[in-house]
Amino acid sequence: MTEAELKALLHRVREKSTSLEEAVRLLKRGPFHTSASDDATPDHHRRLRHGMCESVLGSSKSAEQIIAIASDLSKAGGPVLITRIDAEKLERLRDAFPAGRTNERAMTLLINAPSPKGVEGKEPHVAIVSAGTSDLPVANEAGEVCVATETPFRFITDVGIAGLHRILNRFDDLDAAAALVVVAGMDGALPSVVGGLVGKPIFAVPTSIGYGANFHGLAPLLTMLNSCAPGVSVVNIDNGFGAGYAACRVVAQIGVVSGE
């Protein structure tokens, strides 16, 4: 249940078109419903608190655990995003949720998936910027968060600083975004360049792509943390989910302030 749905329900109770008993029944079935198993206590209330769906980290769970948690969370009809799913688990999850949206590159599965929202006109949206093609799995994870949260977004791909003209050519697209997710491995310098070009919230994601001295993403992480460009916030290595979530919150808050 979303905040808008809760308000609509309370309005119906006030107008006496829905009984108090029926409202209590719907609330018990919705965000205030609680459930638990030996392994997990799903958070049915998160969508109402955050305005964004629940998510499940798949890498540290068995397929059986993921299926049980996701089945419980998805009963109310809201989207549920499962991240970091290897190929073997993905096959199991496809069998369990045949209507789910899968993104093999992002290693995600989205249950009760909304339709992806492209960018139309001047509406607030997220730009997901990737330095190289090798960074696309992490960028795609951020993109699936946008899909799950029904946030408009666009990709700006393969614009790393080895060819600086490429990012300069996309200035208008960068500047049009309400928030940016900037994904880079190797030296991790792209977020500083973008931060110097546009005055928007930037969520930088270091990736583990690079040669030995990249130290599996530690080198770009330190580069981003030491950025001289103001307004660059940094998430953990390969954490496209976290950066996407933060950027979507920015867009959602713009909607709250504007009354949309």
Side-chain angles (χ1 to χ4, degrees):
M1 181 176 286
T2 65
E3 184 175 339
E5 290 168 340
L6 178 58
K7 288 179 178 178
L9 174 61
L10 295 176
H11 179 75
R12 293 197 302 272
V13 172
R14 185 177 64 183
E15 298 297 317
K16 301 187 184 306
S17 60
T18 296
S19 69
L20 185 61
E21 291 74 17
E22 174 65 7
V24 170
R25 186 186 70 81
L26 291 171
L27 288 172
K28 283 182 177 178
R29 192 181 68 186
F32 302 108
H33 163 69
T34 57
S35 61
S37 67
D38 291 340
D39 297 326
T41 305
D43 186 356
H44 299 272
H45 190 261
R46 183 170 300 182
R47 195 174 181 214
L48 182 58
R49 296 196 317 272
H50 290 185
M52 298 185 183
C53 71
E54 173 68 297
S55 56
V56 180
L57 176 64
S59 59
S60 54
K61 299 176 181 67
S62 68
E64 291 77 12
Q65 288 173 323
I66 297 170
I67 291 169
I69 295 168
S71 296
D72 195 359
L73 286 169
S74 62
K75 286 178 182 176
V80 178
L81 178 63
I82 307 167
T83 65
R84 299 299 173 91
I85 313 168
D86 61 32
E88 182 179 346
K89 290 178 186 176
L90 185 56
E91 286 304 312
R92 296 281 305 278
L93 293 175
R94 278 175 168 159
D95 291 338
F97 307 104
R101 170 188 167 94
T102 59
N103 186 323
E104 294 184 10
R105 176 179 275 171
M107 300 173 61
T108 61
L109 184 142
L110 180 57
I111 304 169
N112 300 329
S115 298
K117 285 191 172 183
V119 178
E120 297 181 2
K122 296 183 179 181
E123 66 180 333
H125 64 273
V126 174
I128 303 173
V129 186
S130 61
T133 304
S134 297
D135 300 309
L136 284 177
V138 176
N140 271 258
E141 186 179 67
E144 290 303 302
V145 175
C146 294
V147 176
T149 58
E150 300 183 72
T151 304
F153 71 104
R154 66 156 50 102
F155 285 111
I156 300 174
T157 58
D158 198 22
V159 289
I161 66 165
L164 198 56
H165 61 287
R166 298 178 298 178
I167 192 68
L168 296 176
N169 283 342
R170 301 300 298 270
F171 174 81
D172 289 343
D173 289 335
L174 298 172
D175 195 48
L180 299 98
V181 174
V182 184
V183 184
M186 302 294 283
D187 55 11
L190 183 61
S192 291
V193 173
V194 175
L197 289 173
V198 297
K200 306 296 176 66
I202 294 171
F203 301 98
V205 190
T207 72
S208 51
I209 300 301
Y211 290 99
N214 171 272
F215 296 112
H216 305 289
L218 179 59
L221 171 63
L222 294 176
T223 296
M224 294 175 187
L225 288 171
N226 285 288
S227 174
C228 64
V232 175
S233 298
V234 186
V235 301
N236 213 334
I237 298 167
D238 292 335
N239 189 10
F241 169 82
Y245 203 101
C248 289
R249 276 189 167 181
V250 171
V251 173
Q253 191 60 33
I254 292 172
V256 170
V257 171
S258 64
E260 295 179 359

